Amino acid sequence: MAIHCSLSPTISHLPINQRLLHLRGEQLLFLLELEGAEVSLVFLDDAEMAAYNEQYRKKQGPTNVLSFPAREGETGFPVPENELGDILVSVETARREATAQGHSLHHRLIELIIHGMLHLIGYDHERSEDEAVRMWDYEKELFKQLHSQRRTNMPFLAINVDHVATIRQARGGTEPDPVLAAGICELAGAEGIVVHLREDRRHIQDRDVHLLRQTVKTKLNLEMANAPEIVDIALEVVPDMITVVPEKRKELTTEGGLDVIANAKKLTKTIARMRKAEIPVSLFIDPSADQVRAAVDVGAAFVELHTGRYCEAKTGEEQEQEFRLIEQISELAYESGLRVNAGHGLDYRNTHPIATLPFIEELSIGHAVISRAVLVGLDQAVREMLNIVRGAA
């Protein structure tokens, strides 16, 4: 089976995940038992779609999707037997519809691909009311099945070694050493190391950050409050990225996302300094559309979505609701030009669904892995979590 996906140059500036749309098209052909078929997906702007709509349907203005089943043309040229046809989608119209429906752009684009594909195989909602209902029901079922499909690329796994330092600080000695622990995590397959240098230095110390900068071979992510002293340390150490988090003295761990809107002025200044030093900045936020927009406005390169409410949900229904919110906001963040990570509270039972979300690049996990390491060893604990994350691909 083959999906041929192309974007008009007029919409090339939009953050469209062409790889995801191509994948969904191929999965759709599989679900429709059309593995040998070839389909062209063409994404256009409104003006281009309006021209096709007028030429072929004699209607003014753009529409959201047009389907052209392959068949023998007027010139008599034969059409390859496996060629199903072409689906044209107006991204600008889809974007307006997505906003009106409260969905992401990619959510709506996939709906339109399904609709167009059913037209190619003979469905027609304009034929009768019964046909329209039957087609609509089938579209919903196909959409549900597509979203149960696993991603093909795996997110990176970054291990937070803060709580190795917590154990060390409990006795005021030198062991266990979070720097040594970070090396074990990398050898076990972790693709990044995360540490949070708190203002009160309750676990990670300045010494740890400096040594980790020298020894980490993958990627060092420094979590930090937007405090002048810590900002200066970050600029001195130059980690591979920083993640700005809210910080309260009395909290056991970070309790929620950063309020980017309320702290926009200070964050803009810090991000400008980090950009000058070529240090990418991620903002740890609750899954909120307003916070995503604020993150874009202050110049962040990444957001890390706070998964705490999802992890702490008391019922399956509540967890599903939080999961869908993370799914939607991760896509919105991607479409807004941000790269997306996620973390907080993820463990060996709840990580897999988050790891399947296609717009999340990296998962930051600490407490669960360090807790598991007490029982099975750090190497084994990291490998077990890595298997869960990779199993989502």
Side-chain angles (χ1 to χ4, degrees):
M1 58 186 172
I3 291 289
H4 306 283
C5 192
S6 62
L7 271 63
S8 167
T10 59
I11 58 167
S12 61
H13 63 286
L14 296 175
I16 297 173
N17 190 330
Q18 190 170 345
R19 185 174 182 275
L20 175 67
L21 298 176
H22 183 275
L23 173 64
R24 291 292 187 245
E26 291 195 335
Q27 290 172 332
L28 182 58
L29 288 179
F30 177 79
L31 292 174
L32 294 171
E33 299 182 354
L34 295 169
E35 293 91 334
E38 295 201 9
V39 177
S40 293
L41 297 178
V42 183
F43 298 94
L44 312 168
D45 65 12
D46 274 352
E48 292 167 315
M49 179 62 90
Y52 281 104
N53 202 27
E54 182 175 4
Q55 180 178 356
Y56 292 100
R57 300 177 69 217
K58 309 305 179 186
K59 293 186 178 182
Q60 297 294 315
T63 186
N64 50 20
V65 60
L66 288 175
S67 295
F68 296 96
R71 54 180 177 268
E72 189 173 322
E74 294 178 3
T75 57
F77 289 110
V79 175
E81 192 172 318
N82 64 337
E83 189 171 324
L84 201 58
D86 304 324
I87 299 172
L88 277 56
V89 179
S90 172
V91 176
E92 292 179 331
T93 296
R95 199 173 199 178
R96 290 194 299 274
E97 293 174 344
T99 300
Q101 296 167 5
H103 294 310
S104 67
L105 172 60
H106 287 80
H107 179 113
R108 184 57 181 151
L109 289 174
I110 292 168
E111 286 182 334
L112 294 174
I113 291 171
I114 294 171
H115 185 84
M117 195 77 77
L118 292 185
H119 271 301
L120 289 184
I121 63 174
Y123 285 79
D124 188 351
H125 58 87
E126 296 181 350
R127 192 176 293 145
S128 69
E129 188 173 332
D130 288 344
E131 177 83 353
V133 171
R134 189 163 69 97
M135 185 173 177
W136 171 242
D137 288 343
Y138 198 18
E139 287 177 21
K140 289 191 294 183
E141 177 60 29
L142 288 169
F143 187 89
K144 182 179 179 181
Q145 291 183 51
L146 283 180
H147 275 68
S148 69
Q149 301 284 324
R150 297 188 298 176
R151 63 189 288 167
T152 57
N153 60 317
M154 67 186 75
F156 296 115
L157 173 62
I159 300 296
N160 186 314
V161 296
D162 287 353
H163 292 303
V164 177
T166 298
I167 300 171
R168 177 191 63 189
Q169 298 306 113
R171 293 292 294 269
T174 60
E175 295 181 343
D177 187 351
V179 178
L180 176 59
I184 294 172
C185 291
E186 288 188 305
L187 288 172
E191 291 105 337
I193 299 297
V194 183
V195 289
H196 183 175
L197 183 64
R198 282 180 170 267
E199 291 184 86
D200 62 11
R201 307 302 198 274
R202 68 175 64 172
H203 39 57
I204 294 295
Q205 305 298 304
D206 296 43
R207 165 262 186 199
D208 302 326
V209 176
H210 283 87
L211 285 178
L212 286 166
R213 175 64 289 179
Q214 297 173 37
T215 57
V216 166
K217 304 300 182 185
T218 54
K219 181 175 72 174
L220 178 62
N221 181 355
L222 177 62
E223 291 186 344
M224 51 177 276
N226 190 24
E229 177 198 7
I230 308 298
V231 170
D232 288 343
I233 291 172
L235 289 168
E236 176 189 351
V237 173
V238 190
D240 295 296
M241 70 181 297
I242 67 164
T243 299
V244 183
V245 302
E247 193 173 299
K248 301 175 185 176
R249 289 285 179 133
K250 294 183 179 180
E251 66 186 0
L252 291 176
T253 185
T254 306
E255 294 176 349
L258 183 69
D259 189 343
V260 183
I261 300 169
N263 295 279
K265 187 174 181 179
K266 292 180 179 179
L267 286 168
T268 300
K269 182 178 178 180
T270 297
I271 291 171
R273 294 182 68 189
M274 293 296 169
R275 185 183 294 117
K276 189 174 181 180
E278 299 184 348
I279 303 173
V281 177
S282 177
L283 303 179
F284 182 72
I285 63 171
D286 290 325
S288 156
D290 289 341
Q291 295 296 337
V292 166
R293 284 189 284 270
V296 173
D297 291 341
V298 299
F302 291 78
V303 288
E304 180 178 332
L305 299 182
H306 179 222
T307 53
R309 290 200 303 266
Y310 160 79
C311 297
E312 296 163 8
K314 303 299 183 183
T315 66
E317 181 180 357
E318 182 184 348
Q319 187 175 62
E320 177 67 15
Q321 183 178 358
E322 294 296 337
F323 174 78
R324 293 304 170 194
L325 178 61
I326 293 168
E327 178 184 37
Q328 182 177 353
I329 297 301
S330 67
E331 192 168 342
L332 173 65
Y334 173 86
E335 291 173 1
S336 301
L338 296 164
R339 297 172 68 180
V340 189
N341 299 332
H344 195 84
L346 295 172
D347 60 28
Y348 293 87
R349 296 166 296 179
N350 58 33
T351 292
H352 180 267
I354 300 297
T356 66
L357 296 178
F359 296 97
I360 293 178
E361 293 187 25
E362 181 176 287
L363 301 178
S364 176
I365 304 176
H367 186 267
V369 172
I370 303 307
S371 298
R372 178 69 175 159
V374 173
L375 303 177
V376 303
L378 185 54
D379 180 273
Q380 180 65 21
V382 172
R383 293 180 189 277
E384 289 176 3
M385 182 58 77
L386 198 57
N387 286 337
I388 292 171
V389 172
R390 288 178 174 172

